[in-house]
Amino acid sequence: MRDHSVGSSVHARRVPRAESADTLRAFLISVVLLLVAVWLFLAGWVLDYPPGDPTSDARLTEILVCVLVFLTAATRLVRTPGIPSEPLLIAAGAWLVGAPFAPGYGDTSMTEAARFNDVASGGLIVLLALVSLAALPVARSRTSPAA
């Protein structure tokens, strides 16, 4: 039996409200990033990209970014987000936003859905990474020991 008297050394750890808000924010951002990655994987079928060459670049780009974002978001769920993951997400999102404007990226009217999807999804990835990166110094300053 445990002794739960006043002098007992068994105490529940109380999590400060700010720390739990930071954890919740990081969790929500990671979940949304996972959803974006799943969407990028399914987008070619859901948006019914035409088969063949005009959308092959879009499909390849979406799959590569999908894998990168999915692995990064899954890693963020099991560890505290840090500086290395955010620039990686920003680069992946920027690549997705910029890819439709590269020469030869399926320059036909059939690729309009792919173009819009890439710009919107990439923009969301960049936005989420920037929000997470902006919150990192605040979270770190709360948890760092006072000098």
Side-chain angles (χ1 to χ4, degrees), residues 22 135-146:
D22 292 337
L136 277 177
V138 174
R140 301 258 167 129
S141 67
R142 287 189 196 133
T143 58
S144 66

Side-chain angles (χ1 to χ4, degrees), residues 26-27 29-34 37 64-93 125 129 132:
F27 174 77
I29 289 173
S30 297
V31 167
V32 173
L33 285 168
L34 283 173
L64 290 174
V65 172
C66 158
V67 169
L68 184 68
V69 170
F70 185 86
L71 292 175
T72 304
T75 303
R76 288 169 49 98
L77 286 174
V78 296
R79 69 165 180 79
T80 304
I83 299 288
S85 66
E86 310 315 333
L88 185 64
L89 288 170
I90 291 169
I125 292 167
S132 182

Side-chain angles (χ1 to χ4, degrees), residues 31-48:
V31 167
V32 173
L33 285 168
L34 283 173
L35 292 173
V36 170
V38 170
W39 167 251
L40 286 171
F41 180 76
L42 297 174
W45 295 287
V46 173
L47 297 176
D48 197 28

Side-chain angles (χ1 to χ4, degrees), residues 90-116:
I90 291 169
W95 177 22
L96 200 57
V97 168
F101 304 103
Y105 190 85
D107 293 331
T108 67
S109 61
M110 297 186 322
T111 58
E112 285 305 311
R115 259 180 232 275
F116 178 78

